[in-house]
């Protein structure tokens, strides 16, 4: 919950999109954080806890789904045009999502993902023979 003064500031500075329905006005802050650092490219390798590469992992910036990549067969990924303080998310079916705050212009992140056994109980595979 925000104070009225901060909501008014967001509205009056034009840094929010406004929408209205019946008796409600909704002010939404932009999805992307203000840019305060130069853009750079992040690369890395994604592995499981045994060190095996994980292909097909989705790597993206939280709050900006247009900035995303998929790890290749060797678990490598490249994510261009990122900034400090953005949150990098790595997600893969059957594994816990990894969240990393980008900082200090660091360009390489090697990510180890941990299995999430509770998710595996929810997956159902159906096959049909013809």
């Amino acid at each position: 919950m925000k104070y009225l003064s901060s909501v008014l500031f967001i509205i009056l500075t034009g840094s929010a999109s406004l929408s209205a329905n019946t008796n409600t006005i909704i002010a939404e802050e932009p999805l992307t954080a203000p840019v305060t650092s130069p853009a750079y490219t992040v690369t890395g390798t994604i592995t499981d806890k045994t060190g095996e590469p994980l292909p097909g992992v989705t790597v993206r910036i939280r709050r900006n789904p247009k900035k995303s990549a998929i790890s290749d067969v060797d678990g490598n990924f490249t994510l261009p045009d990122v900034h400090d303080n953005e949150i990098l998310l790595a997600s893969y079916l059957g594994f816990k999502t990894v969240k990393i705050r980008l900082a200090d212009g660091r360009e390489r992140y090697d990510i180890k993902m941990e299995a999430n056994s509770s998710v595996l109980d929810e997956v159902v595979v159906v096959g049909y023979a013809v």
Side-chain angles (χ1 to χ4, degrees), residues 27-130:
E28 296 177 337
E29 294 182 71
L31 290 178
T32 57
V35 176
T36 57
S37 67
Y40 55 96
T41 298
V42 168
T43 61
T45 303
I46 303 173
T47 58
D48 64 11
K49 69 178 185 176
T50 65
E52 290 296 313
L54 293 175
V57 176
T58 301
V59 181
R60 68 181 182 90
I61 297 298
R62 188 180 78 182
R63 303 189 84 178
N64 191 349
K66 292 181 181 179
K67 288 185 185 178
S68 63
I70 304 290
S71 62
D72 65 15
V73 294
D74 297 319
N76 298 315
F77 70 93
T78 300
L79 199 56
D81 194 32
V82 298
H83 300 272
D84 285 346
N85 294 319
E86 290 183 314
I87 305 293
L88 182 140
L89 300 174
S91 58
Y92 194 57
L93 183 64
F95 288 82
K96 294 179 182 176
T97 298
V98 176
K99 299 176 187 175
I100 299 171
R101 180 176 297 278
L102 302 178
D104 302 324
R106 183 174 162 192
E107 296 180 347
R108 177 116 184 127
Y109 290 86
D110 292 324
I111 301 170
K112 283 196 183 288
M113 296 192 75
E114 185 180 329
N116 186 358
S117 58
S118 65
V119 172
L120 294 177
D121 293 337
E122 300 171 11
V123 176
V124 178
V125 177
V126 179
Y128 294 97
V130 179

